[in-house]
Amino acid sequence: MKTAALACALALIPAAARADKPAPSSTGGAAPAAVAAPAASAAPTPTPAIDPQKRADLLRLMQVTGATRMGMQLFDQVLTSFKNVVPGAKESFWTEFRKEVNVDELTERLLPIYDRHLSASEVKELIRFYESPLGKKVLASMPAITAESMQAGQAWGMDLALRAKKKIDAQKQLDAQRAAEAPRPGGR
């Protein structure tokens, strides 16, 4: 559920970052696959050649929007989930593990993504926007907008689940009523 929330949050936060650095189990036992065995994409991949000027602008955009900072904040939230999945690990393990996390690794993973989706001129325009008063307001407002949007989405999901349950219950009742009224073979 935290992974889904993380994905939703990232979809709503401009220039947000994703941290998918799983924690190994220190309990000696088998940890869930999501924790014990990193995904194939967890190994650092070489960054494709990006024009040096565009790379500098992408780094500036990520700095202005707080992309890697946001990624690290989200990582810290996910780390809490890891702690719940591997309850036998000592707090000192998690403290040391957190120190191993290098924000530059995340930045290097994000650069090709930004490069693929944004042209050099778009990156420059985005930097101008996010450095403007309105852009700063958007960035400052986005955490609250995201949190409130997630709450609204959860409430909507609950409403939909209740509506679906009522419809299913009504259909079951109707089916039972029809079955009770249907003529039975053999007379009665």
Side-chain angles (χ1 to χ4, degrees):
M1 185 159 142
K2 285 248 185 199
T3 303
L6 177 62
C8 291
L10 292 176
L12 295 172
I13 299 171
R18 177 172 79 84
D20 52 359
K21 193 159 174 83
S25 171
S26 68
T27 61
V35 174
S41 65
T45 55
T47 302
I50 299 173
D51 172 75
Q53 180 58 55
K54 185 176 182 187
R55 180 182 171 86
D57 288 343
L58 287 170
L59 290 169
R60 176 72 181 140
L61 176 64
M62 292 168 72
Q63 187 259 331
V64 167
T65 60
T68 51
R69 179 184 42 78
M70 180 62 66
M72 294 308 295
Q73 288 172 351
L74 292 170
F75 171 79
D76 288 337
Q77 292 174 358
V78 171
L79 190 61
T80 301
S81 293
F82 289 166
K83 290 177 183 181
N84 293 332
V85 172
V86 189
K90 295 179 180 176
E91 189 59 36
S92 60
F93 167 80
W94 297 114
T95 301
E96 288 303 310
F97 181 72
R98 175 64 180 83
K99 289 178 186 176
E100 293 174 16
V101 176
N102 182 345
V103 72
D104 293 337
E105 292 174 19
L106 177 59
T107 300
E108 288 304 315
R109 288 171 185 245
L110 294 176
L111 280 169
I113 297 167
Y114 279 62
D115 181 47
R116 258 193 318 275
H117 294 281
L118 299 169
S119 71
S121 64
E122 291 169 334
V123 172
K124 289 181 185 304
E125 288 179 47
L126 284 169
I127 292 169
R128 277 192 295 276
F129 171 72
Y130 285 118
E131 287 180 335
S132 74
L134 178 59
K136 289 176 182 178
K137 179 179 180 178
V138 167
L139 290 172
S141 302
M142 202 49 66
I145 291 170
T146 300
E148 291 174 38
S149 296
M150 289 176 69
Q151 288 174 350
Q154 288 173 346
W156 181 53
M158 291 296 293
D159 289 346
L160 291 175
L162 290 173
R163 284 176 22 202
K165 183 176 180 344
K166 284 181 183 178
K167 289 185 89 138
I168 290 168
D169 290 346
Q171 186 62 49
K172 284 181 181 178
Q173 187 176 7
L174 183 60
D175 291 347
Q177 184 179 0
R178 285 181 182 157
E181 294 173 356
R184 298 176 191 234
R188 299 191 202 183

